[in-house]
Amino acid sequence: MNTHLSRNEIKVWDLPVRLFHWSLASCFLIAYVTEDDFVTLHTYAGYTIIGLIAFRLIWGFIGSQHARFSDFTHPPKTVITYLKQVIRFRADRFIGHNPAGGAMVFALLISLSLAILSGLITYGAEQSSGPLAGLMATAPLAIGKAAEEVHEFFANLTLVLVLLHLAGVAIASIQHGENLVRSMISGRKQTHQ
């Protein structure tokens, strides 16, 4: 594999961001499909997601330019304007995350974090396991059941967000004539389209 950049390519996604991205996608898929039948595997995938989110939060402040939250944080008005441009097929191209992509990063991190927190509460209350087991030992059974409902809601919301993310990647790839999936694998994008 050629690791040298051509003259019309720029390095955008650093290795830590790419490893985070694909690891998170894999762990979420594993956690989602193992929900009731393989509790141990589901739990380990969830714990791995906790570590990945913690890493991403830190890397969002100290990572490379396009990994930093400051590079893709936009006010809601900018995100809405950008989405209107996408619908009209006139959206500007961004080297890093576009405004909708940046908003999606935050939406996914929030939804996953709430799924994880409610999952930990459920695991502690219903299985008497995990880091919250001691805290949940005396909690009423209804707390565990409510947390399980919240956990399922945020897991399903995350799946919807993932599907919207994939649709956005496909639309942006078509609109700008570039393969964004390949960019998230190689870390490189074309400088001009």
Side-chain angles (χ1 to χ4, degrees):
M1 179 170 115
N2 184 358
T3 58
H4 298 290
L5 295 175
S6 71
R7 290 195 311 184
N8 62 345
E9 288 183 329
I10 185 171
K11 189 77 166 167
V12 177
W13 311 118
D14 60 29
L15 183 60
V17 165
R18 291 180 283 142
L19 288 174
F20 161 81
H21 180 273
W22 296 112
S23 297
L24 185 65
S26 300
C27 287
F28 176 73
L29 178 63
I30 290 167
Y32 196 85
V33 300
T34 61
E35 149 192 28
D36 289 325
D37 300 324
F38 302 97
V39 174
T40 301
L41 184 57
H42 180 84
T43 302
Y44 285 139
Y47 285 151
T48 304
I49 290 171
I50 292 170
L52 289 167
I53 290 173
F55 161 77
R56 188 62 182 99
L57 292 175
I58 293 166
W59 202 246
F61 293 102
I62 67 170
S64 63
Q65 175 188 352
H66 296 295
R68 292 181 185 221
F69 297 137
S70 61
D71 187 64
F72 55 87
T73 302
H74 300 279
K77 183 178 179 180
T78 302
V79 175
I80 292 166
T81 300
Y82 180 81
L83 289 171
K84 288 177 182 176
Q85 293 171 345
V86 168
I87 291 169
R88 292 186 200 110
F89 221 72
R90 295 183 181 175
D92 291 334
R93 179 176 180 260
F94 287 75
I95 293 296
H97 287 95
N98 62 49
M104 183 58 75
V105 169
F106 292 113
L108 284 165
L109 288 173
I110 291 166
S111 184
L112 277 167
S113 295
L114 293 170
I116 290 294
L117 178 60
S118 56
L120 288 171
I121 293 169
T122 302
Y123 195 46
E126 294 183 356
Q127 304 287 325
S128 298
S129 296
L132 301 182
L135 181 64
M136 299 308 299
T138 58
L141 185 59
I143 300 260
K145 292 297 179 194
E148 185 176 13
E149 293 297 319
V150 171
H151 181 64
E152 288 179 11
F153 171 81
F154 281 107
N156 289 326
L157 176 61
T158 300
L159 180 62
V160 169
L161 292 172
V162 166
L163 296 174
L164 289 171
H165 169 60
L166 294 173
V169 166
I171 291 167
S173 292
I174 292 166
Q175 204 166 54
H176 300 297
E178 61 186 337
N179 186 333
L180 292 177
V181 174
R182 183 173 50 218
S183 293
M184 188 50 78
I185 294 170
S186 71
R188 301 184 300 255
K189 289 178 85 173
Q190 298 294 314
T191 54
H192 302 288
Q193 290 297 338

